[in-house]
Amino acid sequence: MDVDTRLLRSFLAVAEEGSLTRAAERVFVSQPALTKQIRQLETQLGVRLFERSRAGMALTGPGRELARRAPKVLAAWDDALRTTRAADRQASRVLRVGFLASAANEATQEIVAAFARRRPGWRTELRQAAWTNPSAGLATGDVDAALLRLPFQGQEALRVEPLFSEPRWVALPAAHPLAARDTIAFRDLWDEPFVAAPQETGAWRDHWLAADEREGHPVRVGAVTEQPDDWLNAIANGYGIALAPQSAARFYARPGVVYRPVTGVSPTQVGVAWAPADDRNPVVQDFVRCCLDLARPA
Amino acid sequence: MDVDTRLLRSFLAVAEEGSLTRAAERVFVSQPALTKQIRQLETQLGVRLFERSRAGMALTGPGRELARRAPKVLAAWDDALRTTRAADRQASRVLRVGFLASAANEATQEIVAAFARRRPGWRTELRQAAWTNPSAGLATGDVDAALLRLPFQGQEALRVEPLFSEPRWVALPAAHPLAARDTIAFRDLWDEPFVAAPQETGAWRDHWLAADEREGHPVRVGAVTEQPDDWLNAIANGYGIALAPQSAARFYARPGVVYRPVTGVSPTQVGVAWAPADDRNPVVQDFVRCCLDLARPA
DNA sequence: CTGCATCTATAACCTGGTGGAATGGATGTC
DNA sequence: GACATCCATTCCACCAGGTTATAGATGCAG
């Protein structure tokens, strides 16, 4: 008997949500499609997995059993997938580097160039991750190394080397009264609405709201965005302002958005991270060396 | 990224056979279908898994990686499947009992009847297994208990209680010269062609050929069959003769086939088997008790 | 050199499974 | 009694996947 792991994911979604309708939107299919998927799984197994009722879908005994084992199947597959893809990158001499938008700056380009010199024949593949992915894919094995702002969620399970730090500036709508100033004190921004990262990014969100440098003053959130484009739009459209690394002034310049230095707020730090499994991977270590050489020239 | 476990099985077949053509017949699809399956897997992963050549299919580095992990995925799924189905039988109060054709006799019916009395509300489901399945599905968790001839392959990993033994008779075509006799000495059968079980059944096949009770005399195999029906046909059509338990004379009577007692060959033994995991399963243990009570009345 | 065997890849065709939109039916809720 | 909220069903369009037949590459034997 075979299954598509997709059916297992759907099954787990329904099991967790207790409802076809809610699970359907979670896995991005229509509700009738999910109805059929579940029915298909049940007939393939020859086992009734849910009790249907007006209230929703409740797991049966055997259903609970499956719900307990299915995650192991998915984990085994995800692991196989990651390993295989990593081996493929190795074989085709591709180093995949993840980064969060905020870590982008001139150094990135220089690092890539330095690595290209040190490892001729190798290609670097830069992958920008959404802010909801705090390790930029490193935790899931999607990338071999990552350039990130420190600290980030899940940092403990990874290797991290800090590279350099950078002042935090503020991004404002061009029409904002404070945009007229050359320099802005952070306390003058306390009452401004901020464009923030999603709730689930935790410490990262707080870092860019400088939540712990407001002397207890509450944060006003004017908009929540997940990507640089949304973020810039939100600012340009006046939903709020936001702290940003100084280099954003160069890398995320856009009409309607201006950047100004801020005093009274600590700088931010960029680091390079890799998985412990690659501690002895010469290619990854070469990349790390390139990062360190540029950040702390001998 | 999702997969159908079917693709993984196909992939492993190709990896092991090193050839699409051979793997295709092993998994019972056409060779073009396998070509497409492998290609599909490769494009889904975005990874080249095989080097193609006139000689066949050779795993790439990433392919080897996948070949090492895929079995874990399949094992996890098979485990989930078994557990879920077992839970379902428990919930619907069904005890599934596997048996090999040779173990069928009056006792089976009595055992089932006794179990029905001891566990009202429970239903017994008898499942006949092919001879190529020496534990009648017990090893794979398809059944909760099994009635088998001893010894059988894989017996060490299971619990077994011997029940009773029975003389071995011989099944002959009605027209066979020896059919005229009332009793036949086994040595008179040494040169006869036998209808045998498939090669892969190992000790089981040898047991019914009485291979080690021929004083070194070689076995002649006239036909190979996997199921009782084929077996009876082969005998009736004169492809050969075969040893069988005495009870087969009653349970597998058929025009054109006669059964006669045989001297000079040891008896055969029936046992009940269950999985160690069910050592404390009261229902399975009740069934075992029923078997023992009938086989060794107090 | 030629025919044959043995690989995989491709083409053409057919079927059935799968998803989406709309709708039905049952059942609580205000 | 209108409404909201579930899941089930219907209808339709589409593509994935299978099969057979065949092509193309290459080694081998006579």
Side-chain angles (χ1 to χ4, degrees):
Chain A
M1 243 291 303
D2 291 301
V3 239
D4 193 323
T5 54
R6 177 144 206 243
L7 286 187
L8 293 183
R9 290 186 216 277
S10 298
F11 164 73
L12 286 176
V14 175
E16 283 162 23
E17 297 289 346
S19 148
L20 279 177
T21 317
R22 277 196 304 281
E25 60 192 41
R26 188 167 123 185
V27 298
F28 303 108
V29 295
S30 68
Q31 169 260 314
L34 248 198
T35 298
K36 285 193 233 176
Q37 284 187 15
I38 299 298
R39 203 205 315 281
Q40 183 192 352
L41 187 59
E42 286 183 328
T43 52
Q44 278 180 11
L45 295 181
V47 173
R48 188 151 203 81
L49 298 170
F50 291 99
E51 288 299 337
R52 276 86 162 160
S53 72
R54 46 230 145 270
M57 309 276 284
L59 282 174
T60 62
R64 260 192 304 281
E65 209 60 48
L66 182 59
R68 192 156 76 229
R69 317 269 168 162
K72 297 192 205 232
V73 182
L74 296 179
W77 166 240
D78 289 343
D79 175 58
L81 188 59
R82 257 181 300 128
T83 318
T84 306
R85 286 191 165 149
D88 182 55
R89 289 199 297 274
Q90 187 82 20
S92 26
R93 302 176 168 246
V94 170
L95 184 82
R96 185 173 290 178
V97 178
F99 69 101
L100 292 189
S102 64
N105 61 24
E106 295 83 357
T108 308
Q109 306 169 4
E110 289 168 22
I111 290 167
V112 169
F115 177 74
R117 280 192 301 277
R118 185 181 295 231
R119 283 270 174 183
W122 279 73
R123 198 161 50 80
T124 320
E125 207 174 282
L126 282 172
R127 284 175 81 90
Q128 174 169 338
W131 291 330
T132 45
N133 188 346
S135 71
L138 196 57
T140 52
D142 286 335
V143 300
D144 303 303
L147 294 168
L148 304 161
R149 296 280 159 179
L150 308 181
F152 61 92
Q153 227 165 6
Q155 182 170 343
E156 316 70 37
L158 300 168
R159 312 291 186 203
V160 178
E161 284 289 341
L163 295 177
F164 46 79
S165 66
E166 199 181 358
R168 277 189 277 188
W169 284 25
V170 64
L172 306 152
H176 196 283
L178 291 172
R181 303 202 199 160
D182 279 345
T183 302
I184 303 170
F186 184 49
R187 57 182 320 123
D188 292 342
L189 300 175
W190 285 356
D191 288 324
E192 294 288 329
F194 269 63
V195 177
Q199 195 79 49
E200 65 263 35
T201 58
W204 201 82
R205 166 187 167 110
D206 292 340
H207 175 67
W208 289 108
L209 295 173
D212 52 355
E213 300 183 35
R214 290 166 174 266
E215 297 173 15
H217 206 88
V219 179
R220 285 183 59 199
V221 172
V224 173
T225 62
E226 301 200 349
Q227 298 168 22
D229 266 340
D230 300 345
W231 182 80
L232 285 165
N233 270 330
I235 295 169
N237 293 335
Y239 288 106
I241 65 173
L243 292 178
Q246 174 181 6
S247 54
R250 300 184 296 275
F251 281 80
Y252 291 100
R254 161 166 315 197
V257 177
V258 300
Y259 294 87
R260 293 285 178 269
V262 176
T263 59
V265 71
S266 63
T268 169
Q269 203 169 30
V270 172
V272 58
W274 67 96
D278 283 328
D279 278 348
R280 295 208 169 64
N281 181 322
V283 181
V284 170
Q285 291 309 313
D286 271 1
F287 180 81
V288 172
R289 269 257 66 81
C290 291
C291 293
L292 291 172
D293 286 352
L294 280 166
R296 317 168 187 163
Chain B
M1 240 293 303
D2 289 300
V3 240
D4 192 321
T5 54
R6 175 139 208 245
L7 286 188
L8 293 183
R9 291 186 216 278
S10 298
F11 164 74
L12 287 176
V14 175
E16 283 162 24
E17 297 289 345
S19 149
L20 280 176
T21 317
R22 278 197 303 281
E25 59 192 43
R26 188 168 122 183
V27 300
F28 303 108
V29 295
S30 67
Q31 169 260 313
L34 250 197
T35 298
K36 284 198 234 174
Q37 284 187 15
I38 299 297
R39 201 204 316 282
Q40 183 193 352
L41 187 59
E42 286 183 328
T43 51
Q44 279 181 9
L45 295 181
V47 174
R48 186 151 204 81
L49 298 170
F50 292 99
E51 289 300 337
R52 276 86 163 159
S53 73
R54 47 228 151 271
M57 310 274 286
L59 281 172
T60 62
R64 260 192 303 282
E65 211 58 51
L66 182 59
R68 194 157 72 228
R69 316 269 168 164
K72 297 190 197 203
V73 182
L74 296 180
W77 166 240
D78 289 343
D79 175 58
L81 188 59
R82 255 180 303 128
T83 318
T84 306
R85 285 189 167 152
D88 183 54
R89 289 199 296 275
Q90 187 83 20
S92 26
R93 301 178 170 243
V94 170
L95 184 81
R96 185 174 289 178
V97 179
F99 69 102
L100 292 189
S102 65
N105 61 23
E106 294 83 359
T108 308
Q109 307 169 3
E110 288 168 23
I111 291 166
V112 170
F115 178 75
R117 281 191 302 275
R118 187 182 294 230
R119 283 271 173 183
W122 279 73
R123 200 159 51 79
T124 320
E125 207 174 282
L126 282 173
R127 283 175 83 90
Q128 174 170 337
W131 292 329
T132 45
N133 188 344
S135 70
L138 196 57
T140 52
D142 287 334
V143 300
D144 304 303
L147 294 168
L148 304 162
R149 296 279 159 178
L150 309 181
F152 62 92
Q153 227 165 7
Q155 182 171 342
E156 316 69 38
L158 300 168
R159 310 293 187 203
V160 178
E161 284 290 342
L163 296 177
F164 48 77
S165 67
E166 198 180 358
R168 276 190 279 187
W169 285 24
V170 62
L172 305 153
H176 196 283
L178 290 172
R181 302 200 201 164
D182 278 347
T183 301
I184 302 171
F186 184 48
R187 56 183 320 125
D188 291 343
L189 300 175
W190 283 358
D191 287 323
E192 295 289 328
F194 269 63
V195 176
Q199 195 79 49
E200 66 261 34
T201 58
W204 202 82
R205 168 188 166 109
D206 292 341
H207 175 66
W208 289 107
L209 295 173
D212 51 355
E213 302 183 33
R214 290 167 174 265
E215 296 172 16
H217 205 89
V219 179
R220 287 181 60 200
V221 173
V224 172
T225 62
E226 300 201 350
Q227 299 169 19
D229 266 340
D230 300 346
W231 182 80
L232 285 164
N233 271 329
I235 294 170
N237 293 334
Y239 287 107
I241 65 172
L243 293 177
Q246 175 182 3
S247 53
R250 299 185 296 274
F251 281 80
Y252 290 101
R254 163 164 316 195
V257 177
V258 300
Y259 294 87
R260 294 283 178 271
V262 175
T263 60
V265 70
S266 63
T268 168
Q269 202 170 31
V270 172
V272 58
W274 68 96
D278 284 329
D279 278 347
R280 295 211 169 61
N281 181 322
V283 181
V284 170
Q285 292 308 314
D286 271 0
F287 180 80
V288 172
R289 270 255 67 80
C290 290
C291 293
L292 292 173
D293 288 350
L294 282 166
R296 319 170 185 161

